[in-house]
Amino acid sequence: MKLAEKVSAFNRERKWQYFKTNLPFNSETKILDVGFNNKENSSVDNYLEKKYPFQQNITALGIGGKDFFEKKYPKVKVVLYDGKTFPFHDKTFDICWSNAVIEHVGDFENQLLFIKEMLRVSKQVIFTTPNKNFPVEVHTRTPLLHLLPKAVFEKYLFLVGKKWACGSYMNLLTKRDIIKLLKRAGASNFKISSNKILGFSLDYVIIISP
């Protein structure tokens, strides 16, 4: 296992343990997983499905394919949507889980809609996102350059053959950005925790309660 994957596995386990501690569940708890991977590129993809003991109570929501995912996790209900309004009634789920997805849904207004939809369809929300101010950009493994203006960073990515990370693919958030989004979304009872590596906040875990 490569170093980056080891760090990711360690961090995802931390987030899973934090989830279990702060949002207790049982065999009746209905959970929505927003942003699953149809094809798994590493052993830590779809971590919730690997760890959650009641797979039959998970609904996975995504915008891409679902054939590979459904074969690997046949107990999980899979729903595809247009990336905007979640196709569920209000408070359908007890918990909404979304790991490192919000930075991929588009600009501030799209991120705001994403949070509002998680709040609408579930009683409690837990989501995570990388810290923009971490010294290394975790998707492209680029040190420091992501702290420059987006246009400058994307020019670098294009030059090094990583143009897949340009455009709407990635809009990283600081803690201040997250708080602004939460307040605009009407979330009044929330908690933001950070997972640290070498003293730096690698990512944030946000829990929103009623």
Side-chain angles (χ1 to χ4, degrees):
M1 184 183 294
K2 296 180 180 179
L3 177 60
E5 190 171 342
K6 288 181 179 179
V7 172
S8 181
F10 168 73
N11 200 46
R12 293 196 187 198
E13 180 61 23
R14 285 197 297 189
K15 288 185 276 192
W16 167 246
Q17 294 299 329
Y18 186 81
F19 168 59
K20 289 199 304 179
T21 300
N22 289 275
L23 294 174
F25 53 81
N26 56 43
S27 60
E28 303 299 318
T29 303
K30 295 180 180 179
I31 187 166
L32 175 66
D33 178 15
V34 183
F36 68 91
N37 286 34
N38 185 36
K39 293 183 179 180
E40 296 184 355
N41 298 310
S42 77
S43 61
V44 295
D45 286 347
N46 299 319
Y47 207 72
L48 178 70
E49 284 72 22
K50 290 180 170 67
K51 291 288 187 174
Y52 197 70
F54 311 107
Q55 282 190 0
Q56 69 278 8
N57 291 339
I58 301 175
T59 297
L61 180 66
I63 60 173
K66 62 177 183 175
D67 49 342
F68 292 98
F69 181 89
E70 284 182 321
K71 289 178 182 177
K72 187 161 187 177
Y73 305 103
K75 293 181 181 180
V76 177
K77 180 181 179 181
V78 183
V79 176
L80 299 181
Y81 80 124
D82 62 3
K84 298 294 182 181
T85 303
F86 292 5
F88 308 109
H89 295 299
D90 295 359
K91 306 308 177 191
T92 298
F93 304 95
D94 298 298
I95 300 171
C96 177
W97 158 285
S98 184
N99 181 55
V101 176
I102 191 171
E103 68 271 18
H104 299 303
V105 302
D107 61 13
F108 182 90
E109 292 303 319
N110 284 305
Q111 292 172 332
L112 179 60
L113 175 62
F114 187 76
I115 293 176
K116 286 182 175 180
E117 284 298 286
M118 289 194 291
L119 287 170
R120 181 182 66 80
V121 304
S122 59
K123 299 171 185 175
Q124 290 183 290
V125 173
I126 178 169
F127 72 94
T128 79
T129 190
N131 173 24
K132 181 178 180 179
N133 290 328
F134 188 71
V136 177
E137 198 291 298
V138 297
H139 301 89
T140 59
R141 313 288 192 263
T142 304
L144 300 177
L145 294 181
H146 64 292
L147 301 176
L148 297 173
K150 185 174 173 65
V152 177
F153 179 47
E154 290 192 348
K155 185 174 183 179
Y156 161 79
L157 292 176
F158 188 85
L159 290 173
V160 298
K162 294 183 178 181
K163 61 181 180 180
W164 51 267
C166 297
S168 62
Y169 175 80
M170 183 170 56
N171 286 277
L172 299 170
L173 298 168
T174 65
K175 186 175 182 179
R176 181 177 294 180
D177 294 330
I178 295 168
I179 292 173
K180 183 179 179 180
L181 282 165
L182 292 171
K183 289 182 176 180
R184 282 280 302 275
S188 57
N189 187 12
F190 59 83
K191 178 181 179 182
I192 303 175
S193 299
S194 63
N195 290 311
K196 294 188 176 183
I197 296 289
L198 300 176
F200 296 96
S201 294
L202 173 63
D203 61 12
Y204 294 110
V205 182
I206 300 92
I207 290 180
I208 311 173
S209 300

